[in-house]
Every structure is written in structure tokens, then in C-alpha cells.
Amino acid sequence: MAQDGIGASTKRREDYRFLKGIGKYTDDINQPNQTYCYFLRSPVAHAKIGKVDLSVAKSAPGVVAIFTAADLEAVGGVPCGWLITGKNAQPMKEPKHPILAAGKVRHVGDPVVAVIAESLNAAKNAADLVSIDYQELPAIIDMRTAQTKGGEPVHTEATDNMCFDWEFGDKAATDAAFAKAAHVTKIDLVNQRLVANAMEPRAAVGVYEIGTDEHTLFTTSQNPHVIRLLMGAFVLSIPEHKLRVVAPDVGGGFGSKIFHYAEEAFVTWAAKKVGRPIKWTAERSESFVSDAHGRDHVTHAELAIDANGKMLALRCDTFANMGAYLSTFAPVVPTWLHGTLLAGQYAYPAIYVNVKAMFTNTVPVDAYRGAGRPEATYIIERIVSKAARELKLDQAEFRRMNFIRKDQFPYQTPVALVYDVGDYEASMQAALKLGDYAGFPARKAASAAKGMMRGIGVCSYIEACGIAPSSLVGALGARAGLYEAATVRVNPTGSVSVMTGSHSHGQGHETTFAQVVASKLGIPAENVNIIHGDTDKIPFGMGTYGSRSLAVGGSAIVGALNKIIDKGKKIAAHLLEASEGDIEFKDGAYTVKGTDKKKTFGEIALTAYVPHKYPIDTVEPGLEETSFYDPKNFTYPAGTYICEVEIDPRTGTTVITSFVAADDFGNIINPMIVEGQVHGGLVQGIGQAMLEGAIYNDKGQLVTGSYMDYCMPRADDVPSFKVVTTVTPCTHNPLGVKGCGEAGAIGSTPAVINAICDALDIDNIEMPATPERVWRAAHAKTMKAAE
Amino acid sequence: MPKIAMTVNGKQVSADVPANTLLVEFLRKDLMLTGTHVGCDTSQCGACVVHVNGHAIKSCTTLAVQANGASVMTIEGLAPGADLHTVQAAFKEAHALQCGYCTPGMVMAVVDMLKNNPKPTETQIRHGLSGNICRCTGYHNIVKAVQIASGQAVTA
Ligand code: FES
Ligand code: FES
């Protein structure tokens, strides 16, 4: 293994700047002569906008300009990146999402007026002087009744508030399987609304250079090229060569910073209007009502099982909340990222899923860590545990009975996906061992002796990552390709700069990608620099989400490296006076097969830039290559998690006494970073299971709009973890990697709820399973027993 | 506008600031010390933790005028030059940061925690960190970093 190459737990190079407080996040960027923007947002969920009086505000001290929707008539709406086609070939309803609310406000937090001033305080003070006449309308909040509620719909384009009614799978085969089932398990699940809450609030700085007619946007994004494309082409009509988008250090994303948001388009547009740079930074309470939320599904599911305990079919009906407008990838989350994952790790023949996506007067909902896959996993892993309980089978054993076997890969699921490889038994066994599953009954008895209720929960998740083959997603409605690009520039003295379209906002790409390059070129990792996040520096990029950076972005880097190595062979052949076919590249040197003639990589690099003795007739000077990599399939990380809880029935307090994760991410570049990704994901999933939830009242007020009411997991809420990996390398990408960013958040939620249900010996409990809910469930049992 | 003077990271600074200026705004905007972050507006995330007269405080909930005459230390002043403080080094060693946004506040809070309790148990560490939110790491490796920084066996 090359030192600091593939497989080493190399310490992160990013850490130094973050630890010293000299990272550069968007709000740290200041421009000469900068102004500040404040958005006046709707305080009500649904209203017609009557008279807007700006006259007093306009003359307030420090005000530079004030804009409303009337000023933005020539500007496009925020576009949606995915078209879903529902039943009977009906395209989804796609109402316009204006930059500033036009005519109507549709959720609390909808921006109505933008005030630009010399200071943030001046902007806020002036905003206080704006008067807006809101003619309130009844709010549509509950998606289950949105279709029939009557009254004014969220959008006139969707009079029944339905965005689409989508179905997938083989309904006839599923019905037939249910007809012959020996046992049917049914469950009703709420996958509650969450707020991503990256610790860095969104921010944007817009700059316009009149001399060159160039726009620059600094923004908190996971994918600056996607923002350039969407904002340039669909909103502001700025061609790519006049628009630079920079996503500098970004303080976490978890999906919420994928999407194109109105505020970043506005500051880009307005910077030209006012002729000065404009900065906007969200306050946390603003983030709560303007960052896209996650999850928010309500599902009824049924599982058909034969007399031998074999799963036969799954049927699901889901309501998915789109919120008030379609966010960038909102429609794909409850459909193709959800329905296709319902086979889980199990070999069973029939699945049918129906999803009704609804508009409501709430913040738009879009991808949040896992995006559709956590929702699917929650359904399958909850219903499987419930079925095992009903059939009086061990929950691990019931899963194993139904696993896709190692010899069945590649495995065609009934919901379109082809799993290339996996070994579910291996990760199950690793988890059972690490969690001492066999010792659980004794621990349960010990807890019971203390008056405590102990439970164990298993979850065997699968996800589809490495998003995604372009032609496939194109057929499914994506309005873009999902390849990735990379340029590898070998500098004359042999150091290497890599420009990647992936974006790191905590994942540590600067370290891991350098490890890949070091291993492939046989050079020290310290000689490699990873550059990302700036459309002026990077050839192109689709960015980071869906655990795609290494599987897709890393593959593009490998593609470019292979071209570099091949070009080097031509140069080496010339220098070593051998035929190209006889040149081998290994450990940082080109050799002639069977001889000791050799040239180091550094010598070849120098020759490429000082081509005195050089095959100049056939090979161009220089050593720089670009590669675009389009994945051949999704990757399928999978694993088993086991959670053990102890509940105090007197208080309803649940303590996670043990949590083990056994994941198969394929090959691993940096085990330390992979473990860190798993830890973080686990806590997000545990947060959903036990603490977090965005709650709207029936007027459409977000009553969990700050950290006072939205319960973020803190250090004393969660345990330490035991994490292991098992490995079946991905078969279709050059590094054999699958991706590890989302697994923890996908697999942990059902594991925790399964454990709590097991402890309480109940069928279901609503999330978050707060002490109150747990206490009530525990108490209901005792009360019933007493009757 | 009140005039304030204080020592920040060992340097004497003074300025005229509006009376409602928060300490974090003064540090970030006037002094360009952008290592101290803002993660919330309800004094709950700890991204803004700095030391005032040797105590960890949330600079988003302190007015700049309240620090008049005080000695303030931010993440930028924790270790001289290019050095890393023991706690900073332990964070790197344990991979206790991902996006880095919570990190300055975390580190400042941990330095204070260890000053008051040099050998905290895992439970005490978790309790001591509970004023700081990290969305990335799941805390496991932060606990580990605190154990390393305090010269204790790693249990996380
Ligand atoms: S910024 Fe969140 S506590 Fe200070
Ligand atoms: S490292 Fe990202 S919030 Fe803590």
C-alpha cells in the first residue's frame, strides 16, 4: 500500500484550516462596497398579497433599493430538475415558483420583499417599515386531506392540490400474491418531516463586474455547476461564460444545499441592478422556513407471506408532501428514489407502490440525507420486523430466510434495479456477532430484574448510490445527466492538481481523492492538490449528493489518471527507445518489460513540458487530461444495524445501550473517514427516530422553528458506536467503491424503532419516539394488563 | 456610538460600535476574525463560543460593549502561529470534525471543559458538549478527541 494511498486512515488535510478558524465559508467572504440583503418573508401560510406599501421604508436610513415581484417580471421562476409522469401518462403539475412571491404567498417564510441596504441592521429596520396587506386564505396543511379539503388550492394549476399520482410495479402480480398468501402483515407509518439543519446557514454573495459584464455568485452549494446551469439558463438568462458560481468551504449540506434557491438567484440579479455586491446570510429561524425540508411521507403498507415464512409481495400507498413549490429534485424523491428500493435485501417477486404527491402550504420538501431510500427502508424494515413478531419468528432469522443469496447476484429486483453484488449474510453475521445478539435474552432478563424494559432492533438496509446512469435517469424524467467530470493536471515538476466536479462540505475529498491519485501514480499524496467548488476552475461537475462523489467523481478522476498514464507511456517509449507495448507503469515509474530501463513519473512530467527529446510528431506536449464518467449502474451499499435500548417505564426515557453497524461499502479508500460518515449518519437517523420532527399547526405556522423547539441530537443524547465493514467490491466502477454518505441515516431509524417496539412489545410507535410517547405506550400495556 | 476597547487574542483593539452590536459581529465584521461562527439565533448551538476573561461564553448572546475592558480569546488566538493547541491536535487525530463549521466553538468549549475538569468521564464529556451542536460527526469522534486531549484511554 502506498503510504497515504488507498486504504490508509490518512488524517485530513482540510482540518488545519478549520481548526485554526481560517476556513473560508460564504459568510466569511466580503466584497469592497458590499451591501446587505434582508428578505421580508410571509408571516402567514396562505394569503393573497394586497397592497404593498414601500414608501416609508424606501426613505429609511441606509436603504439602497427595495424590490418586489413586480420588479422581477422578466425573470424566470426557480426550475424543477425532474419530471415525473403519473398514472395514465399524466405529467406532474409544475406551477411557477417565483423568486419573490407574486400575487400570493404559499407558506410561512415565502419571501415577498427584498431590502438592500448599507448594513444588515439598516435593511432589517427598513423592512419593519414595509406594510403588506395579506388577505388570508384557509391553509392546506394536512396532505392526506389536501385533495378533498376544498377552498382555494395552493396553485390554480392543481385544483385538487395533487402534483402527481404515480404508480410503479406489477399490480396484477402483487394482487395475485396477496390472494394466495398464508399471512398478511399491515402497517401504517408516518415518516415525519425533518429539517436538515446543516450547521452553516445558507448564504449568498452576488457580484457584478460592469467592465466585463460578468456575474459571480458565492453560495453555500453542494453543486456549483448545477446552480450555474439552473440559475443561468432558466432564471436569469445569463450564459455560462458570463457567470461564475463558487461554493467555497461549505458547512454541511445533507441534501439541503443541492437545490437552487430563490435567494441566490436574487442577489445575483440584484447585484447588477444596484451596481454593488450584495450579501445575504440566513438566520437560523430563516433557515427553518426557507431551506427545503426532508421526508414527510405517510404510508400504508402490506406484506404477503407464504406458509413457510417466505415473503411474496409488498403493497404500498404513500402520500408525499411536496410543500408549497416544487424544489429542484422534489418529485424524484418519493418516486424513483423510493419505489425502486422497496425490494430491500429480500428475494421476493412482486411489489406495487402508489405515491400521491401533494401541494400544501408548507416549506418545500426535497432530498435529505438518503432521500427516498430512508423512507423505503423504513417501510420494509418496519414491516418485516412486524411480520416476524406476528409469526413469532426471530427478526434476524426471518430476514435471513428471505435474503437474496450471495450466488443470486447480479440480482434483478421486481422494481427495476439490478443489484450487481452483495453478501447480506456476511454483514448480518458481522452485526450479530458485534452486537452479541445471542446474549440478548440474558441482558433483557437482567434489565427486567431492575424494572427496565430492554429491546433489540435489527435493520438490514440497502440503498442505491453512485447516482446515476444518465440514460436511465433521463428515461425516468431527469432533466440532466448525472455523470461526473475531472481534470488531472500534472505540473512540470511532477506535482498534480486535480479539478473535480464533486464538492466537499465535510466529506474530506481533499484527503481521500489525493489518496486515490497517490496510489494510482505512485507519488506521495502531499504532491497532490484537490480543487473543487468553482465553476471557473473546474471543467464541469454535477456535484455531491446520493453518495456519488467517490463512485462517480472518483471514477472520473481515475479515468483522467488512466489517460495520463497512457500518454506517459508514449513519452516513456520514446525516451527509453522501446515500443509502447513494452512499457509498464508501476509504483511511480515507467519500465521496459524485462529490463532495468526506467523513467520516473516526475521525469516524464518534466519531459512533457520541456519537450526537447520528445515524440513531438505524434504526441502533444503537456500532461493534462479530462475525463467524464457516466456510471453503468447504481451502486448498492448494504448492511445490517442492530440497536439495543433500555427503557425506564416510569419515565419513558429510552437509552441506546448499544448500536452496531456492519456496512458493505465495497472497497474503502480511507477507513477513518468512512467511520466518521457512518457515525454522523447514525446520529441523524437516531435523531429522526427519537428527537426530531418539524410540526405545523393547522394555520400553517411552523411551531418547531428554532433549536428551542426542534430537538437536534446532542452529545448526551447518543451513544458511542461499534462500526465494522464487510467488503464485496462494486463490479462496475474502477475503484470497486459504493459510497458511504447516507447509509447511517438510512439504516439507523428503523433499527431504533424496531428496538423500542421490541422493548415495549408493541406493533408500532410514532416518531420521534419521545419519552412521552414511550411512556404512554409502556403505560397502555400495563393498563391493559391490569384490566 | 459607544467606544469599546478590549484585548483580543493578546492584541489591544478599540472601536466605536452601535450599542446593539453583538460580540460575534464585532469579532467577525470589525476585526475580520471569521473563525467564530454563527449557527443559530437562539443561543443554542455553540458555534460562536469564545473565551472572555478565561471563560467560555456564547458570543452571539453577548454585546460587544459587555466585553469592554475584557480579554477575549477566539479560535484564531488559541495556539500561536501555525501551531495547534492540544485540543485542536486531538480533534485532527480523532477525525472529530467534518465540515468544520461547529469546530471552532467546539474546540473553545472543550478547552474550557478540560480546564475545569481535566479528566472527565465519557458521561461528563457528553454532558459538557451538550451546549454545542454538531450535525456532521455524530459526536463519537469528538468524545474520542476529548479523551485524547485529556490523556485518557479512548472509550468511544
Ligand atoms: S450562534 Fe448558536 S449559540 Fe451562538
Ligand atoms: S463538523 Fe460539521 S457541524 Fe460539526
Side-chain angles (χ1 to χ4, degrees), chain A residues 276-446:
Chain A
R276 290 172 63 183
I278 301 175
K279 178 190 260 191
W280 167 77
T281 302
E283 296 179 1
R284 180 59 60 186
S285 27
E286 207 177 352
S287 305
F288 269 101
V289 295
S290 67
D291 292 6
H293 292 176
R295 315 282 191 259
D296 211 356
H297 286 193
V298 176
T299 294
H300 174 77
E302 301 184 353
L303 180 67
I305 301 158
D306 76 8
N308 300 317
K310 280 281 191 190
M311 291 160 60
L312 297 174
L314 180 74
R315 185 149 63 194
C316 287
D317 283 298
T318 292
F319 280 101
N321 204 336
M322 295 285 102
Y325 302 102
L326 283 182
S327 176
T328 312
F329 288 119
V332 72
V333 174
T335 51
W336 299 114
L337 291 178
H338 173 247
T340 55
L341 270 297
L342 287 167
Q345 297 191 1
Y346 309 107
Y348 68 107
I351 297 175
Y352 172 76
V353 51
N354 174 230
V355 177
K356 294 184 172 68
M358 309 306 296
F359 290 114
T360 59
N361 293 115
T362 60
V363 170
V365 179
D366 205 329
Y368 165 59
R369 203 168 192 171
R373 294 154 290 168
E375 294 90 326
T377 304
Y378 193 65
I379 294 170
I380 186 98
E381 288 305 292
R382 286 287 299 116
I383 204 165
V384 160
S385 273
K386 183 164 185 261
R389 182 175 135 81
E390 289 171 357
L391 296 170
K392 307 217 176 333
L393 291 167
D394 175 78
Q395 55 182 321
E397 194 47 41
F398 181 57
R399 285 177 166 81
R400 295 176 58 213
M401 283 165 58
N402 284 288
F403 272 170
I404 298 161
R405 292 187 321 273
K406 200 179 163 182
D407 59 10
Q408 287 178 286
F409 294 99
Y411 177 81
Q412 170 71 60
T413 73
V415 272
L417 299 179
V418 179
Y419 300 164
D420 62 332
V421 70
D423 185 347
Y424 305 147
E425 185 64 30
S427 41
M428 171 65 89
Q429 288 304 339
L432 293 176
K433 187 157 165 263
L434 196 62
D436 184 23
Y437 192 74
F440 174 72
R443 294 192 295 277
K444 186 174 174 79

Side-chain angles (χ1 to χ4, degrees), chain A residues 199 251-252 254, chain B residues 96-103 106 133-137 142:
Chain A
M199 289 316 296
F254 315 110
Chain B
L97 63 154
Q98 292 182 22
C99 78
Y101 198 77
C102 72
T103 308
M106 275 291 176
I133 303 176
C134 174
R135 192 53 148 171
C136 298
T137 64
I142 298 181

Side-chain angles (χ1 to χ4, degrees), chain B residues 37-111:
Chain B
H37 296 151
V38 177
C40 73
D41 44 15
T42 50
S43 196
Q44 306 221 285
C45 75
C48 62
V49 171
V50 299
H51 294 178
V52 173
N53 295 332
H55 298 291
I57 58 110
K58 289 179 169 169
S59 63
C60 72
T61 331
T62 307
L63 294 168
V65 291
Q66 288 177 281
N68 189 27
S71 166
V72 177
M73 183 155 72
T74 71
I75 189 73
E76 290 92 340
L78 189 60
D83 292 357
L84 293 180
H85 181 279
T86 317
V87 172
Q88 289 169 315
F91 267 60
K92 177 164 181 174
E93 177 63 28
H95 183 35
L97 63 154
Q98 292 182 22
C99 78
Y101 198 77
C102 72
T103 308
M106 275 291 176
V107 167
M108 297 308 279
V110 169
V111 170

